[in-house]
Amino acid sequence: MDRLSVALAAAFLACPALAEVATPAAPVAADVTVVPGDVEAPPPGADDLDEPVPDNPYYDNRSTAAAVIESLYNAISRQEYLRAWSYFEHEDGADEQADFEAFAAGYENTDTVQLIVGPEVAEGAAGTIYYTIPAAIEATMTDGTAASFAGCYTLRLAQPGVQATPPFRPMSITDGELDPAQGSLEAILPGSCEPQ
């Protein structure tokens, strides 16, 4: 062995943490699907946690229209109403506290929400992209009753590259119209939503 190899071997023996850093990590699956409220397998490194993985882990993703809607209902199912409120676009100068309180009160008897979404449609206009996406939900209330709703959401994203004045505005929901519906989620999911 040359002097460098001997020095590295001595360093690894003296400090086991260095050996751990030098050991390649196990490969992580390239495609990981997160479904709010349903965990197929624990996340990498979960064996090291003292706490078990919750049945409905925190999920916050604003990269696609579907992810925003999934994040919204993840927040509602976790009773994190301010986070749920944050996925909506709000008018500057509006009385947001009063609006938020009314929003939160509307979900106070909601226990969990099951969601499916259909294909999103995107349409660009002057530096802004509008998305429409169909959704169907089944809300289970705290008293055990359930109700289903279906309809469409509209979302907006000002091109991130042209936003130059704080605060940054991520993709957000501008409109949502869901009506009561009967049947399985797959049966009541609208086939598509036309951009507005």
Side-chain angles (χ1 to χ4, degrees):
M1 284 171 54
D2 62 16
R3 288 183 187 178
L4 180 59
S5 298
V6 171
L8 286 174
F12 288 147
L13 290 173
C15 183
L18 288 176
E20 290 176 16
V21 170
T23 304
V28 177
D31 295 325
V32 177
T33 302
V34 178
V35 179
D38 185 14
V39 177
E40 300 261 338
D47 325 358
D48 303 335
L49 300 176
D50 293 333
E51 299 291 322
V53 176
D55 289 338
N56 188 20
Y58 177 87
Y59 178 78
D60 178 21
N61 185 337
R62 298 170 193 245
S63 59
T64 66
V68 172
I69 302 304
E70 289 170 354
S71 297
L72 166 68
Y73 285 107
N74 172 261
I76 291 169
S77 290
R78 290 170 53 97
Q79 288 78 50
E80 296 168 355
Y81 303 125
L82 184 58
R83 179 164 68 93
W85 172 257
S86 77
Y87 296 111
F88 288 87
E89 187 172 277
H90 305 287
E91 292 181 28
D92 293 332
D95 184 356
E96 287 196 43
Q97 186 62 37
D99 290 345
F100 166 67
E101 289 171 5
F103 173 85
Y107 290 105
E108 67 186 358
N109 295 320
T110 303
D111 187 28
T112 61
V113 180
Q114 294 297 314
L115 163 74
I116 63 170
V117 296
E120 60 190 58
V121 175
E123 184 175 275
T128 300
I129 302 174
Y130 289 90
Y131 299 87
T132 54
I133 186 167
I137 65 168
E138 181 181 77
T140 301
M141 312 312 283
T142 53
D143 65 3
T145 60
S148 297
F149 301 86
C152 295
Y153 281 99
T154 302
L155 300 90
R156 184 174 85 87
L157 174 64
Q159 290 287 2
V162 300
Q163 293 191 48
T165 305
F168 175 76
R169 299 190 185 274
M171 185 184 304
S172 57
I173 301 166
T174 60
D175 188 41
E177 291 186 23
L178 274 66
D179 296 316
Q182 297 291 323
S184 69
L185 292 181
E186 291 79 9
I188 64 174
L189 180 70
S192 67
C193 295
E194 291 299 318
Q196 296 182 351

